[in-house]
Amino acid sequence: MEESSLEEIYLNKSSALHRRHYGQYFTPDTVADMMKQWVLHNLDGGRLLDPAVGLGKLIQDIPAGYEVDAYEDDDEILEFNRAFFTSRPSLHLYEGDFLTDGWEKVYDGIICNPPYITFRTDEEKEIYLNLFREQMGISLSTYTNLYGLFMLKALHQLDEHGRAAFIVPSDFLNARYGAKIKEYLLLDGSLKMIINTDIQMGWFKGAATTSSLLLFDKSSSDDTIEFIRTQSVQELQQAAAYILSDRINPLGVIRRRQDLNAVDKWKLHFYQESQKRFTNVRPLNQFASAKHGIKTGSNQYFCFNNSKIRQWQIGKQHFLPCISKAAQLQQPFFTYVDYKQLVQQDEQMLLLYVEDEREREHGLAQYLEDGKAHRVDQRHLIRARKPWYQFPVLDAAPILVSVFNRKQIQVVRNKTNVRHLDQLIGLYFHDEYKQDADLFMAYFLSDIAQELMANPHKEYGKDLKKLEASDMDASLVLDIQALTTEQKQEIHSIYERIEYLTTHDGDERELMHHYGLLNDLFSNLIQPLEEEEL
């Protein structure tokens, strides 16, 4: 049976719930070939390991001169793959848990696509974390995904001259729980390359994440790690050829291990450092603070439209105007006219805000009792509050940025005093820059702003990217201190026309013309530095 048809049969006969339970996402052929070629390069026979063999794709076509140990703890997937294992006398299958077995074994090569799941139970979590403390002396975060454990244990068993290849979600490169993993990788010293997929490539069907290919070589004395970003099939093929070459001319961004910090967000290294590439930009946090919106703990409970207010007969003095979700912002300018239209459309634009407990009228009292009856008061974030229905409220922000974005980062100039919830990030300018909000918004409307803000996202799959407030703080923005009075006036003139045409349904061609003027202006102000300046 052909490999591709075996995968199709398994996908059709196994349930999605079963595959999610075991964290099963199958390696694309191109990536599997890259991994095998890397591990077997200059290796003539020896002992190989696949810690999570699945359907056996990563060890298909391994020459007979290699002894292969393969682990799998899912009986169902093994039944689909039984013929392959019985036809390979040099392949030894261990039906069990790789993380608890065979710690003393050493391998010349390791190739792995580990399961993409978190700990299934608290008991399992405690067992594994204690095991890694005992065996490796490493204390891992309780948020660590099992793929991180697979990678650490496998590297622990890699021979001092061996090679390894892992395909794993790229989340750990930026996540806090990944700091301990990255710390180990830096100390181990064998990580040579990380090849990251762009979100639009979608290496794994059904996996809401981007992935990274990590390549290790313990025989190399090179003290650098290369970060390679691939955005197309062609670039991935280019990377496949590059990893087997002499790599004299780097394909990606080279970083010395001593310059890397385990607590930093490593995804930034797939891009050249923007601060060193462009003129007239500075990190946003020099001008403003980025803050996530109001965290209610249950937007469904605390957000109201007019129909819900009439239903519960709660006085409007108990509500604050709010933008409850990013989808309510359709244009780059949000005005009171927009707010009133959304209210008339019965959108949830009001936030329950009980400032004085003594003013609890009958309708409000009933609603709070109903919340307790449905255990809203016991939800995460809410149960620690006293009283449970009160929460910190932020002022309205002059500029709003959507947390979740697809092709472009959504940035909106808030022309109202309406507050925002946690689907949005608010930019609050320092006192000396409050009068410059329109200048910054003009910058955010430009193409160069999208480019410089694009780097730090956490990626979820299907083009979906998540932006944190810390990412915005680190994003590069126009250095308005470098502008002359004439340049500021020119920006204001173009920006004001864009705002007018947008909010008054003006001529589309004129609007696009002014966007072009704005892009040209910022392209001249913000330019890549010459090579000798880097």
Side-chain angles (χ1 to χ4, degrees), residues 208-491:
T209 184
T210 52
S211 301
S212 291
L213 178 59
L214 277 70
L215 303 177
F216 298 82
D217 184 357
K218 285 207 171 182
S219 66
S220 171
S221 59
D222 186 19
D223 196 34
T224 63
I225 299 173
E226 185 168 359
F227 294 80
I228 301 171
R229 180 188 181 203
T230 58
Q231 298 179 272
S232 65
V233 174
Q234 291 73 22
E235 289 185 2
L236 185 61
Q237 292 170 342
Q238 185 181 8
Y242 173 74
I243 66 174
L244 300 179
S245 71
D246 53 22
R247 307 201 302 278
I248 294 175
N249 299 314
L251 185 63
V253 178
I254 302 288
R255 294 285 182 264
R256 296 185 304 169
R257 282 210 315 272
Q258 66 191 61
D259 295 332
L260 292 170
N261 192 327
V263 300
D264 290 343
K265 294 185 176 185
W266 280 17
K267 282 189 183 180
L268 291 172
H269 297 298
F270 291 105
Y271 309 80
Q272 292 289 351
E273 292 180 25
S274 297
Q275 292 93 329
K276 295 183 180 179
R277 290 193 298 134
F278 292 93
T279 58
N280 297 323
V281 290
R282 289 189 182 186
L284 173 70
N285 60 13
Q286 294 191 17
F287 305 103
S289 296
K291 298 179 182 179
H292 281 284
I294 300 168
K295 298 181 185 297
T296 67
S298 175
N299 290 354
Q300 182 181 4
Y301 179 79
F302 288 102
C303 291
F304 280 67
N305 52 16
N306 282 334
S307 296
K308 189 174 175 182
I309 288 177
R310 286 193 297 269
Q311 175 191 348
W312 288 95
Q313 296 183 341
I314 302 174
K316 288 196 174 181
Q317 71 272 22
H318 297 300
F319 295 94
L320 295 174
C322 78
I323 302 162
S324 61
K325 51 188 177 183
Q328 292 166 343
L329 303 175
Q330 295 296 316
Q331 299 284 357
F333 303 94
F334 184 72
T335 68
Y336 283 111
V337 172
D338 299 317
Y339 177 78
K340 290 176 182 177
Q341 286 178 345
L342 289 165
V343 171
Q344 289 170 0
Q345 294 166 11
D346 217 25
E347 283 280 331
Q348 291 189 330
M349 306 299 295
L350 292 165
L351 178 66
L352 182 65
Y353 182 62
V354 185
E355 191 169 15
D356 191 339
E357 298 179 58
R358 295 169 296 181
E359 296 182 6
R360 287 175 31 170
E361 59 193 45
H362 178 68
L364 175 59
Q366 277 193 317
Y367 189 70
L368 295 177
E369 285 302 317
D370 184 74
K372 293 183 71 174
H374 287 88
R375 298 183 62 79
V376 176
D377 62 324
Q378 296 303 310
R379 293 188 182 182
H380 179 63
L381 292 182
I382 297 179
R383 60 176 176 262
R385 298 196 305 233
K386 293 182 181 180
W388 62 271
Y389 47 80
Q390 288 186 349
F391 40 79
V393 174
L394 295 168
D395 291 335
I399 293 179
L400 300 171
V401 185
S402 181
V403 169
F404 289 99
N405 300 276
R406 292 197 182 274
K407 293 184 179 179
Q408 281 200 321
I409 300 169
Q410 183 187 21
V411 184
V412 176
R413 179 72 166 95
N414 183 11
K415 306 286 287 186
T416 72
N417 198 35
V418 177
R419 292 165 168 85
H420 63 287
L421 300 192
D422 52 0
Q423 279 196 14
L424 295 159
I425 295 169
L427 305 188
Y428 295 87
F429 291 96
H430 306 327
D431 288 343
E432 62 269 37
Y433 302 111
K434 285 182 178 179
Q435 75 278 5
D436 297 313
D438 286 343
L439 278 177
F440 285 104
M441 185 62 200
Y443 164 77
F444 287 126
L445 291 175
S446 70
D447 292 341
I448 189 71
Q450 290 290 328
E451 178 183 344
L452 296 185
M453 288 191 295
N455 299 358
H457 292 79
K458 183 177 183 181
E459 299 159 337
Y460 280 82
K462 296 182 180 178
D463 293 340
L464 187 64
K465 302 177 182 180
K466 184 180 181 183
L467 191 67
E468 300 289 352
S470 57
D471 296 330
M472 279 305 302
D473 277 334
S475 289
L476 296 176
V477 299
L478 174 70
D479 181 6
I480 63 167
Q481 294 178 328
L483 299 178
T484 65
T485 302
E486 291 75 16
Q487 287 171 329
K488 290 181 180 180
Q489 289 172 347
E490 186 178 5
I491 294 170

